[in-house]
Amino acid sequence: MGNKNKDKVVLITGASSGIGKACAEHLHRRGYRVYGTTRRNPDELPAFAYTMMRMNVDDNDSVEQGIHLILAKENRIDIVVNNAGIGISGAVEDTSLDEAKAQFETNFFGVLRVCRQVLPVMRAQGIGHIINISSVAGLVGVPFNGLYCATKFALEGLSETLRMEVKSHGIHVSLVEPGDINTAMSAHGLETRESACNPAYRANHTAALNIMARDEAEGPQPSVVAQRVENIILAPSPRLRYRVGSLIEQMVVAMKALLPARLFEWGLMQYYRVR
Ligand SMILES: NC(=O)c1ccc[n+]([C@@H]2O[C@H](COP(=O)([O-])OP(=O)(O)OC[C@H]3O[C@@H](n4cnc5c(N)ncnc54)[C@H](OP(=O)(O)O)[C@@H]3O)[C@@H](O)[C@H]2O)c1
């Protein structure tokens, strides 16, 4: 297996921490030629085992330059893991347009930018696999994460469509939908500015955030996502969707499809203590 992997070039966006870092370390150990990205200067970060390069997925030029750099070295890109993502929590009413757009810029348009750069390369190769890191929050609306959910719902739609368009060109598209994973995402995330000054939602927002922080802290390590990503890469006929998480999280998605909407919503509000 090691020898075959040696020829496969993998780009992972947002590989400086959490899920992206775990994927990069895991695939590097398995012998893949891994390129990870960060918005920061990699020389100022602790050393990584894999190649780390600067790329801000919010910026067209930065994405274009990053992809060109990999192509100049490798002349191919086999697998892309679109992982870079941010979350800013707050009631929809307390989310400014700028804060909403910032989340879409990274979580949705960032993926689109990378896809538009790599798809011509993959088409020319006649082979490729795009793996988009979505979330259970791309399938189920989570209170006080409205804009984050909206970005992931949008990513789900984009990926479903793209998969059909590129199939005949030898390119696979898959979605990974993790539940709560023990990363620093909440710590990296922010609350919207207006959340601090509007008391209307404070009690419910705080209650829901506490549950989310607990679930993330008690969630599995990001290595479980990395293992799943490797399995997806190795699958002879990769599926569209892969869920990673606890049985309860898997059941929540199934229950959304099965239960009457009102009952499902009631259960979710009870869970997040939203009154
Ligand atoms: N943790 C969870 O429970 C969970 C659950 C479901 C889905 N996810 C998804 O998994 C992905 C990774 O999340 P995580 O939990 O590992 O979070 P994390 O630890 O905060 O890592 C986020 C990564 O994205 C990078 N990043 C952020 N904005 C970027 C930008 N504009 N351009 C390039 N890189 C950028 C960060 O790098 P720099 O700061 O160094 O630039 C960092 O490496 C996200 O898409 C998230 O939505 C997470």
Side-chain angles (χ1 to χ4, degrees), residues 76-220:
R76 60 185 299 111
I77 298 177
D78 297 281
I79 297 141
V80 171
V81 182
N82 278 309
N83 165 79
I86 56 166
I88 311 174
S89 92
V92 171
E93 184 188 326
D94 292 337
T95 305
S96 70
L97 262 295
D98 283 347
E99 288 163 333
K101 285 177 182 172
Q103 290 181 82
F104 267 94
E105 206 59 79
T106 304
N107 300 2
F108 180 75
F109 291 110
V111 175
L112 181 61
R113 278 188 194 92
V114 172
C115 286
R116 281 175 48 79
Q117 285 295 321
V118 297
L119 282 169
V121 177
M122 290 180 168
R123 269 195 303 104
Q125 291 168 181
I127 193 167
H129 197 162
I130 293 175
I131 300 173
N132 292 334
I133 306 296
S134 175
S135 172
V136 168
L139 302 165
V140 174
V142 179
F144 303 102
N145 279 284
L147 268 299
Y148 177 76
C149 288
T151 66
K152 296 296 187 181
F153 271 67
L155 183 59
E156 294 271 331
L158 181 85
S159 307
E160 272 187 24
T161 303
L162 181 62
R163 182 175 160 100
M164 293 185 276
E165 291 175 358
V166 299
K167 200 169 198 154
S168 62
H169 295 280
I171 304 167
H172 300 296
V173 177
S174 299
L175 282 158
V176 181
E177 294 154 342
D180 286 301
I181 304 292
N182 189 345
T183 71
M185 194 176 173
S186 292
H188 291 162
L190 302 163
E191 289 185 27
T192 66
R193 273 186 304 276
E194 288 170 33
S195 299
C197 26
N198 182 3
Y201 300 100
R202 180 39 59 196
N204 280 338
H205 187 187
T206 304
L209 274 189
N210 286 340
I211 306 287
M212 287 170 214
R214 181 205 65 194
D215 287 351
E216 207 177 288
E218 291 175 358

